[in-house]
Amino acid sequence: MAKVALKKYRLTQAQLRSLTIAKWPELDQQGNVVIVSNPTGKPYRFVDGTPGAPVGFGFYVGPMGAFYELRIQHNGVRRRLALGSVQELTLARAHELAGAQRHHIRHTGEDPRERVRTEAARQKARGKTVGEALEDYIAHLEDRLARGRAKAGGVEGVKDALARLQRPEVNLADKAIAALTAKDLLAAWNGLRHTCMLQSNRLSPGTKAFLTKQGEWWNLKLEDLVRLGLTGKTLARAHAAGLSATEQTMGNASRAVARAIKAERVAAANAGRQPALVHNPFEALADDERYRSSKELAKHYSAAKVRNPLGTDDSATGSQTLPTVLKALVGRRDMQSGHNAVGVDYVLLTLLWGTRRSEAAKLRRYESCSPDELDLRLASWAWLAPRPNAKNPTTGLRGSQVFLHDTKNGQFQLLPVAYFAERILRWRYDDSIMKERALTKALAQAQREKDAKKIAHIQWQLKNLARWVFPARNPKSKDGHHTDSKAILHNVRLDAGLLDPERGIDIGLTPHDLRRTLGRFAGKLLPGHVVSQLLNHHTDRDDTGKMAKVTERYSEQEWPALQEAMAKVEEAIISTSPRVWNILKGPDKQMLDEHRDPPLKLPSRRALGHRSKAYTAGNQSRASQAPGGG
């Protein structure tokens, strides 16, 4: 800082407003203040020479202009306070402010800037919007995701909630939390339901148009919709249209706001002030019973046929859904030159293991995992025992096994691989071996032709074959493994008669319905605690990070019991279709009578008879590899 900052000058308001770092004040020969060039070109300070100016009052001139300031020392503490720009405040008003600040500091010892900062923080908290709270919540979840403490689906769910609240029809994201009223939230709830209804994939365009025509359709009761002509599943779905997405969105918003309120409470305590946010306005929705109870949800799922475990006593389509779906699946496996095989095998194993949508998709081949990945539980894997009683090198348990390292509830899951699941896995591996041989030949040909694009694609396929149990076919797949069974399940619904628009049949089928199917069969055959183990509902934890602890979950007696339980449920599921049983089994299993299990005629005009040609060949070539096979 230039030495001139110690000098004292008396300037007019016009002179003050002309000051820049390029110009500064000087006294001419007559002792008058003149504005001349600043030879240093640097910021500077000087003291106010106006009669009556407060002690310590002066000016700072920097790159952003000229400002009033007050320098004061009290109880050994030196302070320099900015008072405002010379362009905005008059000199007289600045003197008043400086005098008031000196008086406050002298009598209270408090720095007035703290009051300003405290008030600014309070106003900022009061102005925090729902959208900002959700953005903070998303950042928090992304940090937890990076540390393995949250699921990607949960993060995406909150991002979807923010996007929905930003819709013009909802207009809640930009609203300040402190200003929200119950009326605002109810209006947003209704607007959100309407937009979610319009984007629902469970309602036909005609039903959406019908509801829109009713005006405030969300206020209609079931009997009102009946009088308007809706019936059956359409009635139930129209009555709850958009409600699930609305509940999830508002629930996420409420959690985000609760987290913002907690953060403000901590900040206020640290600053010694009262919190600006004390109440979560979203609680009004729960108080008003806008969210459905578990009983109401169960009733809706039943009426709308949203959750559909497969069975042998279903009357919705006039047929048994489980055996029909099983026949549709195996019938599609060898279609499209075998391109369906990965997807079909994934769906079948999802059914036999009861895994959630993305859990089995990420299964690695055991031999592709490093020792650290195995020991520290960093990867999901499937292991086929070379002999029925062979021990897995990592778990020390006998028999084929599948390990899921990252399930929905954050716990790992180890399951025995029973007979039919093992057959499918061995077919999966056999298919990979045959594909690898074909790709190796194709790679050699591409290298001779120097086709760089083809070489890269084949190498990508070979890498995935060696790594994943369910490798992806599409080179655009960023993960390299199978991820989406929507197309397979859609075609299976058509094949099995679960989707027949001409007959008014539209029964859903999702990967989670397959999990529910396992739960249904297991619940009829096994004790509750065993069902919980199969579905990974237990809550005991192991936080040591070592795979060696896996064996502590299963005693020497418990693991064989779990193997027996898995085999029992698996056989009960597959035996619902003797034709599928006979296709999947090896020569070591007894044939079942197919007399009461008619072949399924697929819409593609391809019938599944006693055995398809591909499956007959498959059973012959794989028989020797089946557990107990010749």
Side-chain angles (χ1 to χ4, degrees):
M1 203 64 62
K3 291 183 179 180
V4 73
L6 303 175
K7 295 183 178 180
K8 181 183 292 188
Y9 299 101
R10 179 182 179 182
L11 277 68
T12 66
Q13 194 73 54
Q15 287 175 318
L16 286 173
R17 290 176 176 172
S18 68
L19 296 176
T20 66
I21 57 174
K23 297 179 180 180
W24 66 6
E26 275 192 3
L27 296 177
D28 62 14
Q29 293 181 352
Q30 285 75 38
N32 298 320
V33 177
V34 294
I35 306 301
V36 299
S37 296
N38 175 6
T40 69
K42 296 179 180 180
Y44 57 92
R45 284 186 166 89
F46 64 96
V47 177
D48 185 15
T50 305
V55 176
F57 182 83
F59 307 90
Y60 167 76
V61 182
M64 304 303 294
F67 299 87
Y68 303 109
E69 65 178 18
L70 175 67
R71 289 179 295 170
I72 184 172
Q73 180 171 324
H74 180 67
N75 292 335
V77 179
R78 294 181 178 180
R79 297 183 176 93
R80 181 181 286 140
L81 310 180
L83 301 173
S85 169
V86 300
Q87 305 294 336
E88 299 172 357
L89 292 177
T90 64
L91 184 59
R93 177 56 182 153
H95 285 173
E96 292 177 7
L97 289 176
Q101 299 287 42
R102 280 184 60 83
H103 182 271
H104 178 81
I105 293 172
R106 291 288 185 183
H107 285 78
T108 67
E110 178 185 79
D111 191 331
R113 290 174 297 185
E114 289 300 323
R115 285 191 303 164
V116 174
R117 282 192 285 264
T118 296
E119 180 60 21
R122 193 182 74 84
Q123 291 297 334
K124 182 179 179 181
R126 285 192 59 80
K128 194 177 192 70
T129 65
V130 175
E132 289 170 341
L134 279 163
E135 288 171 353
D136 290 345
Y137 189 35
I138 290 169
H140 166 67
L141 291 177
E142 287 178 334
D143 175 66
R144 296 189 72 233
L145 177 64
R147 293 184 286 114
R149 308 289 290 183
K151 299 294 181 182
V155 180
E156 292 305 314
V158 181
K159 289 181 178 179
D160 289 342
L162 176 57
R164 292 188 188 114
L165 295 181
Q166 289 171 334
R167 293 173 185 170
E169 302 88 345
V170 184
N171 191 30
L172 199 62
D174 292 333
K175 294 287 182 67
I177 297 169
L180 280 179
T181 64
K183 183 178 179 180
D184 294 330
L185 288 167
L186 180 58
W189 178 281
N190 293 333
L192 183 57
R193 272 202 71 182
H194 184 65
T195 65
C196 291
M197 179 274 288
L198 293 176
Q199 296 193 27
S200 171
N201 58 8
R202 293 192 176 275
L203 296 176
S204 68
T207 303
K208 294 176 184 179
F210 172 82
L211 289 176
T212 301
K213 187 178 179 180
Q214 308 310 311
E216 295 183 353
W217 58 268
W218 49 84
N219 289 326
L220 296 175
K221 299 178 180 179
L222 271 174
E223 51 266 35
D224 297 327
L225 294 172
V226 170
R227 283 196 295 270
L228 290 169
L230 296 184
T231 59
K233 177 180 61 180
T234 302
L235 169 65
R237 291 185 177 179
H239 185 245
L243 192 50
S244 179
T246 300
E247 290 172 328
Q248 292 172 10
T249 298
M250 290 303 197
N252 277 318
S254 182
R255 285 185 285 275
V257 168
R259 190 171 181 278
I261 291 172
K262 182 179 179 180
E264 161 61 7
R265 190 162 57 243
V266 172
N270 291 336
R273 61 175 174 83
Q274 291 297 314
L277 298 175
V278 294
H279 170 66
N280 188 344
F282 283 85
E283 292 176 0
L285 295 173
D287 294 340
D288 198 33
E289 298 182 333
R290 290 288 161 178
Y291 298 96
R292 291 171 292 182
S293 67
S294 57
K295 289 184 178 180
E296 289 172 323
L297 281 170
K299 185 177 180 181
H300 164 67
Y301 293 145
S302 176
K305 302 190 184 304
V306 174
R307 295 185 173 182
N308 305 292
L310 302 172
T312 58
D313 54 356
D314 306 282
S315 58
T317 63
S319 64
Q320 298 177 320
T321 55
L322 179 55
T324 308
V325 166
L326 286 172
K327 286 183 282 190
L329 279 167
V330 297
R332 285 208 166 261
R333 191 180 190 277
D334 61 327
M335 284 185 171
Q336 296 182 341
S337 302
H339 287 167
N340 288 335
V342 171
V344 168
D345 291 348
Y346 166 76
V347 173
L348 284 170
L349 289 173
T350 295
L351 170 64
L352 297 180
W353 291 335
T355 51
R356 296 178 179 90
R357 182 172 60 182
S358 62
E359 290 173 353
K362 295 182 287 188
L363 278 179
R364 298 261 300 276
R365 297 167 68 107
Y366 179 83
E367 59 273 16
S368 76
C369 300
S370 70
D372 281 344
E373 286 176 323
L374 295 170
D375 189 48
L376 298 176
R377 307 196 307 247
L378 300 178
S380 298
W381 47 260
W383 181 72
L384 290 176
R387 300 175 307 282
N389 286 324
K391 285 187 177 182
N392 177 272
T394 303
T395 67
L397 299 173
R398 299 182 185 276
S400 298
Q401 301 159 35
V402 59
F403 175 75
L404 305 171
H405 89 290
D406 189 23
T407 63
K408 181 181 179 181
N409 61 14
Q411 302 180 50
F412 66 78
Q413 183 178 23
L414 182 69
L415 290 174
V417 176
Y419 179 87
F420 286 102
E422 183 162 359
R423 291 284 298 172
I424 295 168
L425 271 180
R426 291 195 185 278
W427 289 10
R428 179 79 263 116
Y429 284 18
D430 284 356
D431 287 351
S432 294
I433 291 172
M434 290 187 288
K435 184 68 178 293
E436 183 180 2
R437 290 171 181 167
L439 286 172
T440 301
K441 292 181 180 179
L443 178 61
Q445 180 64 30
Q447 289 172 335
R448 285 192 294 270
E449 296 172 355
K450 297 182 179 180
D451 188 336
K453 186 175 180 180
K454 193 172 184 180
I455 290 172
H457 179 50
I458 294 174
Q459 289 175 335
W460 178 85
Q461 289 179 293
L462 285 170
K463 178 182 176 182
N464 287 342
L465 280 173
R467 181 179 178 87
W468 303 108
V469 174
F470 305 107
R473 286 193 297 119
N474 190 340
K476 294 182 180 179
S477 170
K478 68 175 183 178
D479 297 315
H481 60 72
H482 177 80
T483 56
D484 190 1
S485 298
K486 288 181 181 177
I488 287 286
L489 290 177
H490 176 77
N491 288 330
V492 166
R493 287 174 67 210
L494 290 170
D495 298 344
L498 301 180
L499 179 59
D500 189 343
E502 292 184 0
R503 295 171 57 197
I505 296 174
D506 183 9
I507 297 177
L509 179 61
T510 68
H512 213 79
D513 289 330
L514 303 177
R515 175 176 168 84
R516 295 185 184 104
T517 302
L518 178 82
R520 169 190 276 190
F521 276 77
K524 293 178 180 179
L525 298 170
L526 305 171
H529 72 281
V530 179
V531 176
S532 294
Q533 280 186 309
L534 294 182
L535 295 176
N536 198 26
H537 284 163
H538 45 80
T539 58
D540 55 312
R541 281 184 171 273
D542 165 32
D543 296 322
T544 64
K546 289 293 184 180
M547 174 57 77
K549 291 293 184 181
V550 170
T551 55
E552 293 182 7
R553 176 163 292 176
Y554 303 108
S555 66
E556 288 297 322
Q557 296 77 30
E558 190 176 11
W559 179 251
L562 196 62
Q563 288 176 309
E564 182 181 344
M566 181 65 87
K568 189 175 184 178
V569 175
E570 184 186 80
E571 288 195 1
I573 291 173
I574 299 299
S575 65
T576 61
S577 173
R579 288 182 181 274
V580 172
W581 173 288
N582 293 337
I583 287 172
L584 296 181
K585 81 174 193 66
D588 53 327
K589 280 281 185 184
Q590 182 181 358
M591 291 275 291
L592 297 185
D593 183 3
E594 300 176 359
H595 177 67
R596 295 186 178 181
D597 187 23
L600 181 66
K601 293 182 179 180
L602 303 183
S604 57
R605 303 196 185 106
R606 175 188 172 282
L608 175 66
H610 176 66
R611 304 274 178 104
S612 70
K613 181 178 179 181
Y615 272 94
T616 302
N619 279 330
Q620 291 172 346
S621 66
R622 299 174 173 103
S624 63
Q625 300 182 42

